[in-house]
Amino acid sequence: MSCIDLQYLTSSEAGEVSQRPGAVGIIPVGALEQHGPHLPLVTDSALAEILTAKVAACFREPVIVTPTLTAGLSEHHADFPGTITLNPTSLGALLDSYIDGLQHMGLKRICLLSFHGGNFTFLGEYAARSSEIRSGLQIEAYTDFRRFLQVMYDAGLSAGLKLTPADSHAGALETSLALHAMGEQWVRSFETVSGYTEARPGWMETMQLHGVRAVSPNGVFGTPKGANAAAGKIILDALVNEVALWLKDKFGLHSMAAVQPPVN
């Protein structure tokens, strides 16, 4: 069973597929925010959508994917033109509406998945709270952003990227992902772009307190020089494997051969 894109189903098809044994719904949650001078504002949303589709295709059970929520919690990026940020109440209300719809279809198992670091903690808290309130629903969220970044970082190193300690936003990792998953036509010139690279103690706290621009004037953490699409494929494959293993464990799904135990 491959990924099932909810928006292209008819109403009757949505009702039927949600009744199949083991059915799971996934809501991808993205962001619309600055990604330096070279990546599009939609980067996190596009990557969340692609990651979700590839993860969903790993399982024999029907995995129904909703349209991606394009805006997320991006307050730290709000100083940069084009960034649109939701507040937690607004994002929670959107998720409530999506889950209401999936529950009305008949789904009892729902996953929240993001690519934007600013969403991870909120989604975990929201999932825990909603699971308590909504009787009969299992709602899970992938929340380990530190591990998510480490999987990206390790895969990037294995692909030959030269990474700085702070590479986490619009650096070589995300730029490689964008080149592979979105296409080079959406990536502007980046070989001369350099962002914040040192990762000195307290830099994240400074960013959270004063915003991204206080740490990186151009909004980049890392240096995108050397990014390439081949590395992006390796990084994406590693993330798909990581999230698919997590999803398999949370919902007891039956995977295809594509999902392999991580190499430690």
Side-chain angles (χ1 to χ4, degrees):
M1 177 68 65
S2 60
C3 168
I4 299 172
D5 193 339
L6 175 64
Q7 64 187 334
Y8 291 109
L9 299 180
T10 66
S11 177
S12 58
E13 288 169 345
E16 186 277 325
V17 75
S18 65
Q19 301 301 317
R20 295 180 190 174
V24 173
I26 302 185
I27 304 173
V29 185
L32 192 65
E33 65 182 28
Q34 72 81 24
H35 272 73
H38 60 295
L39 294 181
L41 298 167
V42 76
T43 294
D44 282 341
S45 292
L47 294 177
E49 185 171 324
I50 291 165
L51 174 64
T52 300
K54 287 185 173 292
V55 168
C58 289
F59 299 101
R60 295 203 295 268
E61 291 86 353
V63 182
I64 304 164
V65 179
T66 74
T68 301
L69 303 188
T70 305
L73 305 179
S74 300
E75 182 180 358
H76 305 318
H77 299 270
D79 285 346
F80 293 85
T83 296
I84 295 176
T85 183
L86 301 178
N87 60 51
T89 300
S90 298
L91 181 53
L94 275 173
L95 289 169
D96 285 344
S97 296
Y98 270 60
I99 291 174
D100 285 345
L102 295 179
Q103 186 175 20
H104 186 68
M105 281 168 50
L107 285 174
K108 294 180 172 56
R109 308 193 298 173
I110 298 169
C111 170
L112 311 177
L113 181 59
S114 186
F115 210 99
H116 169 55
N119 292 336
F120 275 57
T121 298
F122 171 83
L123 292 179
E125 295 170 349
Y126 174 90
R129 185 171 64 251
S130 295
S131 293
E132 292 179 359
I133 295 171
R134 293 174 180 267
S135 177
L137 274 190
Q138 180 185 0
I139 303 174
E140 305 284 354
Y142 184 99
T143 61
D144 196 344
F145 186 57
R146 185 180 296 275
R147 176 166 175 79
F148 193 82
L149 274 181
Q150 191 63 53
V151 169
M152 289 177 62
Y153 202 90
D154 291 345
L157 289 176
S158 74
L161 295 179
K162 295 181 179 180
L163 302 173
T164 69
D167 195 306
S168 57
H169 185 79
L173 294 172
E174 274 198 318
T175 303
S176 293
L177 281 164
L179 287 166
H180 166 64
M182 300 168 64
E184 62 181 17
Q185 71 271 25
W186 296 114
V187 179
R188 284 64 166 178
S189 176
F190 59 84
E191 288 296 330
T192 61
V193 175
S194 183
Y196 177 74
T197 61
E198 297 178 74
R200 292 180 178 178
W203 73 275
M204 285 193 175
E205 290 77 7
T206 300
M207 177 189 68
Q208 292 167 356
L209 185 62
H210 301 292
V212 168
R213 200 184 287 277
V215 179
S216 174
N218 67 354
V220 177
F221 295 114
T223 298
K225 184 177 181 180
N228 62 87
K233 182 182 187 307
I234 292 171
I235 297 165
L236 182 60
D237 287 347
L239 288 173
V240 169
N241 196 69
E242 162 68 15
V243 177
L245 283 167
W246 170 84
L247 196 68
K248 177 182 178 181
D249 178 66
K250 287 295 182 181
F251 293 107
L253 299 177
H254 296 85
S255 62
M256 306 292 194
V259 183
Q260 302 295 332
V263 177
N264 295 320

